[in-house]
Amino acid sequence: MKRWIAYWNIMLKDMRTYYLKPPNISWGLIFPVAWTGMFFVKSGRGLESILSLLPGVMAISILFGTTSMLSVTVTFEKKNRSFERLLLAPIPLELLMLAKTSGAILFGTINAFVPVFIGLFLADLSQVQWLTVIPAVVMIAIASTFLGLFIAVSVSEVFEAQTFSNFFRFPMIFLCGLFFPVVSLPVFLKPISFMLPLTYGVDILHGAVQGDNMLPLWVDFLLITLYCVVLFFISLRNIYRKWII
Amino acid sequence: MEKKTLTDPIGDGKPFISVERLTKTFGKVVAVDDIAFDVHQGELFGFLGPNGAGKTTTINMLIGLARPDSGTIHIAGSECTRNPKAAQQLIGVVPDESNLYPELSGFDNLCFCASLYGILKSERQHRASELIKTFGLEEAASRKFGTYSKGMKRKLTIAAGIIHRPPILFLDEPTTGIDVASARQIRQLIDDLHHAGTTIFLTTHYIEEAERLCERIAFIVNGKIIAIDSVHNLLQPIQDKKVMIISVSNSAKELHQKLAVKFPHLTFQALSDTQIRVESDQAISVGSLLRFIEDHGAEVTEARRIRPSLEEVFVRLTGIELNIMKKEKEKDKGRNSL
């Protein structure tokens, strides 16, 4: 019980202090709208293109909402030593890091539904399989958040966290099938694409929204879950090795 | 290293904190070198040393923020060397820098810190209000921590360290870099906590602070404990000494050698270019000393007797001048706050 009080309050504190701030909320709204607009104009197919764009825009909203916020906030707290307070709390490190990441996961999940909300007014979304979309969104949010955590524990300065985040994020926009199908990528880029967790999350979304997934959904879910577990435990190991010296 | 300890002052026979052969290295630097000590329940234990002596590394190992290379740590009977989480419910930590959340108010910071120990909402709000009152921060309670003065930050950081009412409190340089009034108030609070039964492990470079507050003190230099005893016992060898500090306009280093020849029954030490320390087992005849100095072309700007203090013991044992130690520390604090 005591541990869960700590867990809940760490998550709540992060939501209040970092995620539910006007700049982040506006970023969460403007960013997906801008990307939707950009690809909508580029497609030249009018409102028909909304369904094909939706998975990519949802994924990019999650990716940018989670990785940047988490990597920056954790690095910031490490830098000003307030993170030490958390390390000194009588809760296991695993639970502590889950608490730290829960806020970002929630924020990323909410972010994903901003373009869905906009899409409701522009296209017919009745064919979307929401029972697949929701777990897919959560898994993408978890994977992106844990990627942010991995970045946060690999750097020591806030600006390094931002730079390192971009190093991962921008290639992922083009390599993970968000707007360009993985099958149409050049042969030498395909292996890289399959090494990135977002590829599998986006594939699930494509399947749930338009039914055009390239892998069986269970394979996608399995692989993205595997990535989440690996990223989380690598991050924990790095915290043990680098922060508790 | 042989464990140096006093008779248990509390009487239950078991140390609350027990450290055996603790060593920590960073690369080739030995930060903590085979130290051992016990702290008893309810005791206020001082850990003194210059910058880089190993104080913070020792605290970090005790609280679980650093892993020892070798040795053992027991806190309240739990083996904490490999499992630092075992005692974290029992300890409160006040780090050398105020590290609360700048975006949260003072009150919210305290409530959040209490929640980390699983305290329920109504109880943590009650405790936060109580501590805000105790520390005289009522007017600033709803202000963001980032807007607090240094003294207020220290007070709130101490409050955050004790909100879960830990039986053991680690205080790392609690009064460094703050104004005199706040420092005095914090010392009083430490004293009150001690009298309320909290076991306190205090690191400081203010030797007079340690002398006033602590029951036992360990001196650490270059990672090694060079002395550990009660304040009374540490003072014993110098209790009957007569000591003077003479400030001169210049050439103290040159002068002190001439003084040593002229007054062989006295011991002289050049503390700096302008300060000479005189020590004797008997009363010091000031007049003849001052005349001799002035006859040798130096102007005496001040001559004062100093009572035997822990500062003397520290200087004797370590050869480190306290004013140099303080300046170093203040410089570091200044650099950190930039």
Side-chain angles (χ1 to χ4, degrees):
Chain A
M1 173 67 178
K2 282 184 170 184
R3 290 175 176 186
W4 294 106
I5 291 175
Y7 172 90
W8 176 251
N9 281 281
I10 292 168
M11 188 184 84
L12 222 56
K13 192 270 297 171
D14 281 355
M15 292 297 285
R16 277 176 57 198
T17 316
Y18 305 121
Y19 301 116
L20 297 179
K21 293 279 176 180
N24 296 326
I25 294 169
S26 60
W27 166 263
L29 291 170
I30 293 166
F31 195 72
V33 172
W35 278 87
T36 311
M38 187 171 81
F39 283 98
F40 176 72
V41 171
K42 188 186 170 292
S43 73
R45 288 189 288 137
L47 293 177
E48 278 176 39
S49 62
I50 293 291
L51 276 180
S52 63
L53 291 178
L54 197 58
V57 179
M58 287 169 78
I60 206 170
S61 304
I62 303 169
L63 181 67
F64 275 74
T66 52
T67 48
S68 55
M69 281 307 293
L70 190 84
S71 58
V72 168
T73 56
V74 171
T75 316
F76 173 73
E77 287 190 5
K78 177 74 177 66
K79 187 83 184 153
N80 74 10
R81 294 181 58 185
S82 49
F83 201 84
E84 282 177 12
R85 291 209 162 265
L86 305 177
L87 290 174
L88 291 171
I91 53 172
L93 186 63
E94 293 80 2
L95 189 67
L96 165 64
M97 294 322 294
L98 282 176
K100 282 305 283 179
T101 49
S102 295
I105 293 166
L106 203 59
F107 182 69
T109 305
I110 295 166
N111 257 8
F113 287 97
V114 174
V116 173
F117 182 75
I118 298 166
L120 282 173
F121 297 97
L122 303 172
D124 177 15
L125 303 184
S126 59
Q127 67 183 74
V128 175
Q129 294 169 40
W130 296 109
L131 288 178
T132 310
V133 167
I134 292 166
V137 164
V138 173
M139 288 313 293
I140 296 172
I142 294 172
S144 306
T145 302
F146 288 176
L147 182 67
L149 180 64
F150 172 76
I151 291 164
V153 295
S154 305
V155 299
S156 49
E157 299 286 344
V158 174
F159 74 89
E160 288 175 331
Q162 285 166 330
T163 312
F164 202 22
S165 296
N166 290 336
F167 176 78
F168 280 100
R169 289 184 308 191
F170 282 98
M172 283 164 88
I173 296 173
F174 304 102
L175 294 173
C176 295
L178 273 71
F179 304 106
F180 314 104
V182 173
V183 285
S184 60
L185 286 174
V187 178
F188 69 96
L189 285 178
K190 278 183 187 169
I192 302 172
S193 171
F194 284 109
M195 283 162 63
L196 299 167
L198 197 62
T199 301
Y200 306 102
V202 174
D203 194 44
I204 302 169
L205 287 180
H206 279 301
V209 174
Q210 284 190 299
D212 59 352
N213 44 311
M214 61 180 173
L215 294 171
L217 291 184
W218 71 268
V219 175
D220 284 325
F221 271 113
L222 183 73
L223 289 171
I224 196 167
T225 306
L226 201 65
Y227 268 99
C228 292
V229 172
V230 169
L231 278 171
F232 186 66
F233 282 101
I234 290 176
S235 302
L236 283 187
R237 194 196 62 166
N238 284 348
I239 291 171
Y240 274 120
R241 281 175 50 189
K242 293 173 75 174
W243 291 2
I244 304 171
I245 48 173
Chain B
M1 181 191 168
E2 192 186 326
K3 187 178 284 194
K4 298 166 184 169
T5 185
L6 276 182
T7 313
D8 171 26
I10 305 301
D12 71 348
K14 287 180 189 168
F16 223 32
I17 303 171
S18 179
V19 169
E20 296 272 1
R21 311 208 65 161
L22 201 62
T23 300
K24 176 75 183 171
T25 54
F26 295 105
K28 287 180 181 171
V29 179
V30 183
V32 172
D33 190 0
D34 196 20
I35 64 168
F37 60 87
D38 286 343
V39 181
H40 298 276
Q41 192 166 7
E43 189 178 18
L44 206 167
F45 184 82
F47 209 55
L48 267 82
N51 257 2
K55 301 190 297 288
T56 300
T57 305
T58 304
I59 279 206
N60 281 345
M61 286 191 282
L62 293 175
I63 64 179
L65 287 182
R67 269 190 294 270
D69 293 341
S70 61
T72 58
I73 299 165
H74 284 85
I75 296 178
S78 301
E79 209 286 315
C80 301
T81 327
R82 300 282 164 253
N83 180 23
K85 290 277 167 200
Q88 280 182 342
Q89 185 74 38
L90 300 175
I91 65 169
V93 179
V94 179
D96 57 346
E97 279 174 51
S98 301
N99 66 346
L100 291 167
Y101 298 90
E103 285 295 309
L104 295 184
S105 70
F107 183 80
D108 287 345
N109 259 303
L110 292 185
C111 287
F112 176 69
C113 289
S115 75
L116 296 177
Y117 294 85
I119 298 165
L120 292 169
K121 191 176 180 179
S122 58
E123 178 60 16
R124 55 180 186 254
Q125 286 180 340
H126 168 71
R127 289 192 194 183
S129 303
E130 209 175 67
L131 283 168
I132 291 270
K133 204 174 158 191
T134 308
F135 284 78
L137 293 168
E138 292 100 322
E139 286 179 16
S142 55
R143 260 172 49 199
K144 284 184 179 176
F145 180 71
T147 66
Y148 280 26
S149 70
K150 270 188 181 178
M152 290 159 80
K153 281 182 178 174
R154 285 313 280 160
K155 284 183 204 168
L156 199 77
T157 308
I158 294 174
I162 59 173
I163 193 150
H164 57 293
R165 296 179 183 159
I168 306 169
L169 182 63
F170 290 91
L171 290 164
D172 197 0
E173 308 275 2
T175 57
T176 301
I178 59 170
D179 62 277
V180 177
S182 298
R184 188 179 298 168
Q185 206 183 349
I186 287 170
R187 281 187 204 112
Q188 187 55 52
L189 287 160
I190 296 169
D191 210 27
D192 292 346
L193 282 169
H194 173 221
H195 284 110
T198 308
T199 306
I200 300 176
F201 186 95
L202 169 80
T203 78
T204 180
H205 66 279
Y206 293 127
I207 210 143
E208 61 281 14
E209 179 173 278
E211 187 177 348
R212 226 184 76 188
L213 292 171
C214 300
E215 287 163 321
R216 281 194 309 140
I217 286 173
F219 289 130
I220 181 167
V221 178
N222 295 329
K224 281 182 183 292
I225 290 180
I226 56 166
I228 180 166
D229 215 325
S230 69
V231 174
H232 178 264
N233 286 355
L234 285 167
L235 284 171
Q236 202 60 46
I238 60 157
Q239 205 68 51
D240 302 323
K241 295 274 183 199
K242 308 287 182 288
V243 182
M244 275 193 83
I245 302 287
I246 301 175
S247 300
V248 292
S249 51
N250 53 28
S251 357
K253 283 181 181 162
E254 216 174 277
L255 210 53
H256 99 276
Q257 288 165 346
K258 292 177 184 166
L259 282 162
V261 175
K262 175 73 180 169
F263 303 96
H265 60 290
L266 302 176
T267 310
F268 296 92
Q269 187 190 359
L271 300 178
S272 66
D273 259 354
T274 57
Q275 279 197 326
I276 301 165
R277 182 177 174 281
V278 189
E279 187 188 301
S280 172
D281 291 331
Q282 294 149 12
I284 300 169
S285 164
V286 186
S288 55
L289 270 177
L290 300 189
R291 267 194 303 279
F292 181 85
I293 292 169
E294 283 176 348
D295 288 348
H296 283 77
E299 190 189 335
V300 176
T301 55
E302 190 189 11
R304 63 190 159 94
R305 286 185 198 280
I306 55 169
R307 73 175 179 89
S309 67
L310 212 53
E311 186 172 332
E312 284 292 309
V313 179
F314 184 83
V315 173
R316 275 163 172 262
L317 288 168
T318 64
I320 297 166
E321 280 308 318
L322 283 174
N323 52 354
I324 294 170
M325 191 165 119
K326 280 179 194 169
K327 273 180 197 164
E328 270 180 19
K329 197 78 195 178
E330 296 298 342
K331 209 161 55 185
D332 274 8
K333 286 275 165 185
R335 207 177 290 143
N336 291 340
S337 63
L338 286 177

